[in-house]
Amino acid sequence: MLFNSYIFLMFLAIVIPIFLKIPKHWKKPFLLIVSYVFYGFWDWRFCVLLLFSTTLDFFLGKKIAASENIKERKTFLTFSLVGNLGILMFFKYFNFFVDSFQNLGKTLGYELDDFHLNIILPVGVSFYTFQTLSYTIDIFRKKLEPTQSFLDFALFVSFFPQLVAGPIERARNLLPQIAEINLPTKLQIKEGLMYITFGLFMKMIIGDNAGAIVDMVFANPSNYSSTELLIAPVVFLVQVYGDFGGYSLVARGVAKLLGVELMVNFKQPFLTTNYTDF
């Protein structure tokens, strides 16, 4: 369910009014359900993976916090790292490594059997993987106390405005807001609608149109002059900024309509003075 799709606008038109009207004690369960519906719209099987990562780090976070033994704490953190990064590596790079080994075998004179899995890359797996990892790492560093509510943690991981495209949130910023979920203020509603509108403009008008130009040039570079080939990478930067900046604005805008403030992660990146800032 893409932010710039009619189905997403219909989804919001249903979710926001219900969220505003239902009693407070139902708001978090409701948001968790709609977040899983949002994520499962691509493929319901992705929800199983999301639930696995959530459950793994919820219990490992409690184990890390409860232990004063540094070796035990490192062991539990290692389980979190291996579990999450293992999933990420498998889905993203399994076939890549298979191809690499086959090519290496051919170079050495061996013909290896062709073996590939029909792997579907789960949408947003990088985002929620690093978000759950930030939780266990912060607990390990004693910068965060683990939440005792599985509901709060599950909603922190799956919160649909930033689930598939970020921004990746620190638990110490988002979890307290999830724990005390409140109605949006009038200012948040006003800003949220403005962010969504401008974000869609950046994505659909700037990003998509810049992308159409880039695709034409990159597909047939021999058809274009040197000047046009020099301009194309610059237009590509405009496309990337429009896509990511636009999506982030929509994410922040939708979150504001739900009374949640997400971090600012696009702040004039091309005007930064060093690589770390960028």
Side-chain angles (χ1 to χ4, degrees), residues 202 240-241 243-246 248 252 263-269:
M202 285 182 65
V240 171
Y241 185 82
D243 279 352
F244 283 94
S248 291
R252 292 182 61 214
M263 64 179 287
V264 178
N265 69 328
F266 269 80
K267 197 171 183 180
Q268 300 177 324

Side-chain angles (χ1 to χ4, degrees), residues 119-223:
I119 298 172
I120 303 173
L121 180 64
V123 178
V125 63
S126 300
F127 291 99
Y128 69 73
T129 294
F130 288 117
Q131 186 150 307
T132 59
L133 275 179
S134 75
Y135 173 77
T136 52
I137 290 170
D138 277 352
I139 293 173
F140 177 80
R141 291 174 174 171
K142 297 188 176 182
K143 293 182 178 180
L144 178 73
E145 288 295 320
T147 178
Q148 300 303 311
S149 169
F150 184 78
L151 174 61
D152 287 0
F153 185 67
L155 184 53
F156 158 71
V157 177
S158 65
F159 188 54
F160 77 87
Q162 48 85 235
L163 176 59
V164 299
I168 298 173
E169 281 286 353
R170 287 282 188 183
R172 55 180 179 264
N173 174 53
L174 187 54
L175 259 177
Q177 297 186 73
I178 295 293
E180 298 293 331
I181 201 78
N182 289 307
L183 287 172
T185 63
K186 290 182 179 179
L187 179 60
Q188 283 180 314
I189 293 174
K190 179 181 176 181
E191 289 181 343
L193 293 173
M194 181 179 67
Y195 282 17
I196 292 170
T197 302
F198 190 59
L200 290 175
F201 174 82
M202 285 182 65
K203 169 69 178 82
M204 299 172 70
I205 305 302
I206 297 176
D208 288 354
N209 284 303
I213 296 171
V214 170
D215 289 344
M216 286 191 299
V217 177
F218 284 13
N220 297 288
S222 59
N223 295 342

